[in-house]
Amino acid sequence: MDLVSGARRVIVLMEHLTRSGEPKLLLECTLPLTGRRVVSRVITDLGVLDVAGDGFHLVELAPDVTAQELVASTAAPVRVAASTQVSVDTRAEPFDRESVATLRGSRCSLNSWRAR
């Protein structure tokens, strides 16, 4: 079954490197293809890249990742524009009992606010 034949836009989410540290983003795919030239964007743990005919175009970097690190971890050409964005880590710190107690008018039990 061809999953990508009718899709207008295909976005791939994946890890940037293999477990052994080898790049997963290559100049040519070495595995069987579901569809040829259908992926338009790749989102990895290092950044967001658009697929172009000549390689990848860096759109956004993950927090604490440099463009040089991403390029070195990719086995295909990566074009880095001067306007490349850097993501801001927006993950909130887990609640603790003190911060929960200061919440405005909270009527929830403290157990319901524990970090998971």
Side-chain angles (χ1 to χ4, degrees):
M1 175 169 67
D2 194 352
L3 300 173
V4 296
S5 66
R8 291 186 189 137
R9 186 169 185 186
V10 177
I11 300 172
V12 174
L13 282 84
M14 59 184 268
E15 290 182 346
H16 207 93
L17 301 171
T18 65
R19 288 184 181 167
S20 62
E22 298 296 317
K24 285 187 176 182
L25 295 178
L26 309 172
L27 191 55
E28 285 189 37
C29 188
T30 58
L31 299 172
L33 298 173
T34 301
R36 289 189 179 273
R37 301 178 193 262
V38 295
V39 175
S40 55
R41 180 165 277 188
V42 179
I43 302 172
T44 75
D45 51 333
L46 299 183
V48 178
L49 301 110
D50 282 341
V51 179
D54 59 344
F56 296 97
H57 293 215
L58 181 59
V59 175
E60 189 172 347
L61 287 167
D64 301 323
V65 176
T66 66
Q68 292 81 9
E69 290 172 327
L70 185 134
V71 170
S73 300
T74 307
V78 178
R79 186 178 305 159
V80 180
S83 62
T84 299
Q85 298 177 355
V86 177
S87 295
V88 176
D89 191 357
T90 59
R91 292 176 289 179
E93 292 296 319
F95 285 110
D96 60 6
R97 289 185 180 272
E98 183 178 314
S99 62
V100 170
T102 61
L103 288 174
R104 176 180 51 94
S106 176
R107 294 186 183 171
C108 299
S109 71
L110 291 176
N111 291 333
S112 67
W113 291 95
R114 279 196 190 141
R116 294 168 198 207

